[in-house]
Amino acid sequence: KIPPRATQFMADMWLPVYVQCTDEKCLRWRKLPSHIELHHVKQDLVKCNDCSIPEDKVVIMARDPLWVHTISYTPLLRYSEGLASLLTEYFPEGVGISPPTVCHQRKRDLEGDKKTSDFISEENPPSYDILHPFNHPKEGPRAGAFTPDVMEQEEIEAFPEWTKSPALEVYLILRNIILALWFHNCKQCVTVEQCMRVLGLRGVVRIWCDQQLTRVLHFMSRRGYVNHGLMCSGVPYPLSFLQQLQNKSSVVIIGAGPSGISAARHLTNFGYQVKILEASSRIGGRVNDDSTFGHTVGIGAMFITGVINNPLTLLVRQCDLKLLPVQEDHCELLMETGVIADRGTDNKVEYQFNMNLDKLAEWREAEPQ
């Protein structure tokens, strides 16, 4: 970690604040008067006094992707007040985000608070239960989670020009804000405008961030780290704003199982024309129920194993469904309505199931090898 320095503090106190004119014919960046703070401004309503005035030269320079290497300090993130409300296991501090001394998830587990109501409660922030944007130093690595102060290998390959300070820290600020917004509300598409409302930085570095956010957001969305699943229901092509050119490409996907359907939806969100070819008479792949004998029996995909950051867990959250944790010593039997079966019915089904397993074993032993 890089501790804040005096130059950072002075820059964050005295550098001017830039905002963008919302007039589509202008969109120029303007310097706010020194007595106005960014959190006092409704950025969606900013208008120039005179749109004919050209932008400052420093604004034009800040549009260069490599301009960030010219700054002599790393911006302080702790003044991005909106980010603090999005984080649960971390908090903005200095040049990045830091973990508290206690991991909330571990503390809750140690206290024995494993009630079903807590597991599925919508009152708990997502990163407290089944969706975690960041790894925590008090815990082991989490699937699909990022280390807040480190670029992953895929990020290094995508943005090799930003792997050294101070570009590294500025990139991490953008990436962490995108992740925090997505895990805070995975039902809505993360946009550049949302990120900029959270990004409370002074100086022209804020302009550089605005110019590069689309590129970073496109990478995060294309890789499926954010902006995927059943977000923005009813909005056609919700990610088409990330495509610089109108996408008229067509894609053919073989198989209408969960992977094929998910890939088709994600490509469609970006504006691709997608067709799915399925050999069978139904969709879903191994996700299938059987009602041959008058009762519905799940043949596949009855359990979600490894719920932390699981794509299916995300879909559950987006659809406002509930997850029922499976007890280690007993697996509850669910009726077709989703209600837990009574003990008598449960015992009968378990007995019949074990009988079927015994008969199957006898049949296999009797069959010639």
Side-chain angles (χ1 to χ4, degrees), residues 3-15 72-76:
R5 298 189 298 268
T7 54
Q8 293 173 315
F9 175 77
M10 295 301 294
D12 203 81
M13 291 297 293
W14 299 108
L15 282 178
S72 58
Y73 69 98
T74 303
L76 290 172

Side-chain angles (χ1 to χ4, degrees), residues 253-328:
I253 295 177
I254 308 299
S259 298
I261 295 174
S262 297
R265 174 176 286 277
H266 200 53
L267 289 170
T268 301
N269 287 342
F270 276 101
Y272 286 88
Q273 303 298 316
V274 181
K275 289 186 178 181
I276 305 178
L277 303 182
E278 171 57 49
S280 66
S281 59
R282 63 174 188 84
I283 65 173
R286 286 178 287 180
V287 181
N288 189 23
D289 292 337
D290 187 276
S291 302
T292 303
F293 298 105
H295 295 280
T296 302
V297 178
I299 298 178
M302 296 170 287
F303 299 95
I304 299 178
T305 55
V307 296
I308 302 300
N309 293 344
N310 191 308
L312 293 178
T313 301
L314 180 76
L315 291 175
V316 168
R317 178 76 69 182
Q318 292 173 328
C319 296
D320 292 325
L321 300 176
K322 293 183 178 181
L323 286 175
L324 180 66
V326 177
Q327 305 299 325
E328 294 182 1

